[in-house]
Amino acid sequence: MPAGQLLAAAGQSTDRVLVVLDGELELLARLPGGGRVVMALVRRGGVIADIPVLLGSPMPFDAVASRGTWIIEITDEEWMRLLQQFPALCLRWMASIARRLDADRRRLAVMMTRRLEAQVAFILLEQQEQESGKLVVRLTHEVIADLVGARRQSVSRVTRTLTSMGLIRSGYGQVELLDVPGLEALLGGDLLP
């Protein structure tokens, strides 16, 4: 799938589960006045549409490839047959759903209880990728702002602060993590028991 391609649309029913083999999908919520905001990123090994298929509900978000992405599409009938036929696969899928729900719960706890600096640090830690021996986050300030529910200008101010503290190096569309323990310290301890 090329960057920008819509794979699933908010409000529409779905009859397939999508597994990301490589690349990245953005899950975008539609705003009442028009436009969209990034709610989550789904990368290699990530799954979308399984919960709407299980619940028989429409897709809550648009799913758009944010870069070249390879996916596997599994029809709802084939997916249900696989889950029924292979209990070990069913348990793995249940664990996958539980991990995603736990990650959402932790992100919500940070967004509701921590200052913006900690929220940005959380997103950077959550979205880090290994690249040429470095830890990087390939997100623009605008996408980070969407993920924390803040203005882009506020996120730019926070990244300047984190840069001056020696925790990160920020460039266009990419942030390099220089001090992971320092970013973790900004979170102020355990998020949830």
Side-chain angles (χ1 to χ4, degrees):
M1 305 288 156
Q5 182 165 344
L6 178 70
L7 294 154
Q12 292 184 350
S13 63
T14 184
D15 61 356
R16 60 199 169 122
V17 173
L18 305 176
V19 180
V20 178
L21 290 180
D22 194 27
E24 179 180 84
L25 302 177
E26 290 181 339
L27 300 183
L28 303 158
R30 295 180 183 178
L31 299 173
R36 299 184 292 194
V37 62
V38 178
M39 298 298 294
L41 302 169
V42 181
R43 294 192 175 121
R44 180 189 308 237
V47 179
I48 65 165
D50 53 340
I51 295 174
V53 165
L54 277 172
L55 299 176
S57 61
M59 283 293 296
F61 308 116
D62 289 334
V64 177
S66 56
R67 53 186 177 213
T69 302
W70 291 90
I71 62 164
I72 294 176
E73 294 184 12
I74 305 169
T75 67
D76 54 351
E77 292 173 357
E78 179 66 13
W79 183 60
M80 289 296 198
R81 188 186 64 72
L82 288 169
L83 293 180
Q84 290 170 356
Q85 189 174 357
F86 301 102
L89 175 64
C90 187
L91 289 172
R92 271 189 85 158
W93 215 291
M94 285 174 44
S96 165
I97 291 172
R99 277 191 302 278
R100 285 180 274 151
L101 293 175
D102 187 58
D104 288 345
R105 184 176 63 108
R106 289 179 186 285
R107 180 185 293 172
L108 182 59
V110 169
M111 299 311 143
M112 299 298 292
T113 64
R114 302 297 198 271
R115 296 172 42 96
L116 185 57
E117 291 80 7
Q119 294 175 24
V120 170
F122 180 82
I123 294 299
L124 294 175
L125 292 165
E126 180 185 62
Q127 298 299 325
Q128 65 181 295
E129 299 177 80
Q130 190 82 5
E131 186 177 284
S132 302
K134 300 176 182 177
L135 293 176
V136 298
V137 177
R138 292 185 288 166
L139 300 176
T140 64
H141 290 182
E142 184 172 347
V143 170
I144 294 169
D146 284 353
L147 291 171
V148 299
R151 293 181 25 231
R152 184 195 52 75
Q153 296 86 345
S154 299
V155 168
S156 294
R157 178 185 46 79
V158 167
T159 57
R160 283 191 302 273
T161 300
L162 298 178
T163 298
S164 69
M165 295 170 66
L167 301 175
I168 65 170
R169 181 179 300 128
S170 184
Y172 182 74
Q174 180 171 301
V175 176
E176 182 183 351
L177 307 187
L178 302 175
D179 183 356
V180 169
L183 290 168
E184 290 170 342
L186 286 176
L187 295 175
D190 290 335
L191 302 175
L192 296 169

